[in-house]
Amino acid sequence: MKSIAELEAIRQRTLDKVLLRKEGKDAVRVVVGMATCGIAAGARPVMLAFVEELKRRNLVNVTVSQTGCIGMCRLEPMVDVIVPGQEKVTYVKVKPEMVGRIVAEHIVNGRPVEAYTIGAAEDAR
Amino acid sequence: MELYRAHVLVCGGTGCTASGSGDLLKRFEEKLKEHSLEKEIKIVRTGCFGLCEAGPVVIVYPEGTFYSHVKVEDVDEIVSEHLLKGRKVQHLVYVDHATQESSVTKSLEEIGFYKKQKRLALRNCGVIDPENIDEYIAFDGYKALGKVLTEMTREQVIDEVIKSGLRGRGGAGFATGMKWKFTYQSQADQKYVACNADEGDPGAFMDRSVLEGDPHSVIEAMAIAGYAIGASEGYIYVRAEYPIAVKRLAIAIEQAKEYGLLGKNIFDTGFNFDLHIRLGAGAFVCGEETALMASVEGRRGEPRPRPPFPAVKGIFGKPTMLNNVETYANIPQIILKGSEWFSSIGTEKSKGTKVFALGGKINNTGLVEVPMGTPLREIIYDIGGGIPGGKQYKAVQTGGPSGGCIPAEHLDISIEYDTLTAIGSMMGSGGMIVLDEDNCMVDIARFFLDFTVDESCGKCAPCRIGTRRMLEILERIVEGKGEMEDIDKLETLAKNIKATALCGLGQSAPNPILSTLKYFRGEYEAHIKEKRCPAHHCQALLHFEITDKCRGCTLCAKVCPAGAITGEVRKQHTIDTQKCLKCGACMDKCRFSAIVKN
């Protein structure tokens, strides 16, 4: 190794890969409902779309995990996005095509996509 | 850049490997492929997490779920339930037996075992893949070496180590900074840095876990030491009985060399440093510094008188700086975070943390790291989870065969170098063997002495002859053939050997005897005067008796090899204690639990 800068470069590029293990308390959490209702409604492609999108954009302080059924099965697939310091936002009837917008507007720019939220779905009834 | 949404950490320390964690890894990889999850989920083999009693251990991130006692069959469930569907497998989650707290309801850091620990030397163990240098670098690895080579002078480095107050973690507790300074001051055409990774103490596995879980921390520290004292080469003396540690060290050195972190002109500063591994062949005495150096040179491991000290004349006659693995593991952080930070942890005379290997009669066997000054009671009960089976604590043996026991009256002692020596024990390398009411202290002393007699190199008469005489006396006592003057003989022998033996092995061999005599003299006297073992342990002093639960089935009489049991059918039988061989065959055979040992 010829310089400290080279060491720093290795550090940076690997840190992104292992940050997951530090249980980043200030990470953005994306929680996808993956109970039977969720899976049947197609939650796995949605989860994979999130992982793909995060990968594409090189976003690292975001964790993607799964959870069980919260009860509103008719609205599955459901995704909670929890940004530290902000209110939890629940997206309903999420399709893989919607993921790009959620990541871009909510996770990157801090503006929840109102049209996709549970509030909007309720009002529409 | 591949992004994994979950990391599954499988413990690859020796303990869990012996329990089959290697098979777990294979199964995980198979199952992930089956469910097409290999691109999303990363399997990592790490070093020891510390809670060895719970092994094999698997931790899933980002949730931080701690699975314990994982078997190969359980892997299928973890993959299909947790990794695929996000449902934690409840029956595999670790539950703290003492408090019944589950690690699902609390985060891992709040569980009794980890709550009071402060993992500095063990910071990367269980977190990184020790066979991947990139992961070590990700967690600030080799940053300290970079800082030292580009921003600090050799004198500044030594000064930092002195100010930190770090003391040798191998057992003697000598001021590390001073040792570096003395070697720095010696003038020679070649100097060496050395690492004592022999870890001969029975029951100790602190160094092993660091070497298996975070070998780069030792490599980096040795390079830093080399710069400071002016050495261009180093030797790591590791016992051959640690194959996993040897393998990981070799891989780590190879990887460091590839990255130019070892070898010529490191970080373009003109500093050269190379490391060699030397294997020990199983001699406890080779953990002693001068014997170790003799062994590195290819000679028989025997100590020699000092002065000259290794800092002046060591390996191949050159100034050598030998430190223990754990001592080195602390160095990178002292450089990065500063001596003030380090010296703010611990007590006035004992700075930093200490790693202990908890074993024996304790619930949470494993590896713990606590700040110096932690009360022993906390280690035994809060972290260790107390004594299994509700038994009574009797003593804890610290420092292995060189140390002494700490009885219940000193449970509130603060664990640091000087307090332990003041009560007749010592910190030692960190082995802590917990003993309960069923352990016989005389037999424990005999056990440790048996070990030291075996390991004595034979060079000096006090150790070669003296320890053997002490062992003979102890063996007579546990067989019920002791006499009261034996205790006086033991004490005289012990004091003389301590004062005249050539090296630490002989000088400390009498410690278990002196310390058990000090606190458990009553047990010795019972063995001698009453021919009785208070803990009901020493076979020779036990009488087998048939109680009135006996139904006269005659099975015991038939199985007794000495023909010592007599009695009529359907009437209570009796054992002739003169003929009895104390083999226990009758007790095994009895279906009515009518035979007892007294």
Side-chain angles (χ1 to χ4, degrees), chain B residues 260-293:
Chain B
L261 293 162
L262 279 180
K264 302 246 179 293
N265 201 11
I266 302 176
F267 284 126
D268 219 13
T269 57
F271 173 60
N272 307 331
F273 191 71
D274 207 1
L275 269 183
H276 315 287
I277 298 180
R278 284 288 180 273
L279 295 186
F284 178 62
V285 72
C286 285
E288 195 277 333
E289 63 179 355
T290 53
L292 187 154
M293 294 184 193

Side-chain angles (χ1 to χ4, degrees), chain B residues 48-64:
Chain B
C48 175
F49 289 107
L51 191 44
C52 306
E53 182 273 330
V57 169
V58 174
I59 301 194
V60 181
Y61 282 109
E63 299 91 346

Side-chain angles (χ1 to χ4, degrees), chain A residues 32-46 67-79 93-94, chain B residues 85 87:
Chain A
V32 183
M34 287 279 255
T36 302
C37 47
I39 298 176
R44 254 192 78 71
V46 171
T67 185
C69 170
I70 65 158
M72 305 203 72
C73 311
R74 66 183 178 87
L75 295 176
E76 293 280 4
M78 291 174 64
V79 178
K93 295 209 180 155
V94 183
Chain B
K85 298 184 204 158
R87 289 203 286 251

Side-chain angles (χ1 to χ4, degrees), chain B residues 192-198 211-212 215-216 218-219 222 233-257 262 273-281 292 295-298 315-316 325:
Chain B
Y192 296 110
V193 178
C195 173
N196 189 342
D198 189 59
L211 292 173
E212 291 175 352
H216 285 283
V218 173
I219 295 174
M222 287 180 80
E233 276 182 66
Y235 286 96
I236 303 183
Y237 188 81
V238 54
R239 63 195 313 219
E241 292 99 319
Y242 282 171
I244 297 183
V246 173
K247 184 178 104 160
R248 302 229 170 121
L249 261 176
I251 294 177
I253 292 179
E254 227 8 81
Q255 291 178 342
K257 279 196 185 143
L262 279 180
F273 191 71
D274 207 1
L275 269 183
H276 315 287
I277 298 180
R278 284 288 180 273
L279 295 186
L292 187 154
S295 180
V296 169
E297 292 175 18
I315 298 180
F316 299 121
V325 168

Side-chain angles (χ1 to χ4, degrees), chain A:
Chain A
M1 193 148 306
K2 285 295 147 197
S3 66
I4 310 274
E6 273 181 61
L7 185 73
E8 189 56 26
I10 299 180
R11 193 175 83 84
Q12 276 307 331
R13 73 158 190 260
T14 320
L15 199 60
D16 300 344
K17 295 184 201 170
V18 297
L19 207 54
L20 212 59
R21 293 178 220 164
K22 278 273 160 174
E23 292 192 56
K25 306 263 183 308
D26 53 346
V28 173
R29 292 175 55 209
V30 172
V31 185
V32 183
M34 287 279 255
T36 302
C37 47
I39 298 176
R44 254 192 78 71
V46 171
M47 185 182 72
L48 288 175
F50 266 104
V51 175
E52 270 311 308
E53 189 64 22
L54 294 173
K55 215 192 286 191
R56 215 171 56 79
R57 287 167 170 276
N58 268 343
L59 293 171
V60 286
N61 219 14
V62 187
T63 65
V64 179
S65 39
Q66 307 129 301
T67 185
C69 170
I70 65 158
M72 305 203 72
C73 311
R74 66 183 178 87
L75 295 176
E76 293 280 4
M78 291 174 64
V79 178
D80 282 341
V81 175
I82 306 136
V83 177
Q86 295 175 26
E87 260 183 29
K88 173 173 84 166
V89 177
T90 304
Y91 292 105
V92 300
K93 295 209 180 155
V94 183
K95 296 202 210 21
E97 309 86 79
M98 294 155 64
V99 170
R101 204 173 147 199
I102 296 176
V103 174
E105 290 184 32
H106 186 171
I107 296 182
V108 179
N109 288 314
R111 283 191 323 262
V113 185
E114 307 247 329
Y116 294 164
T117 63
I118 189 168
E122 287 291 285
D123 291 343
R125 281 202 335 138

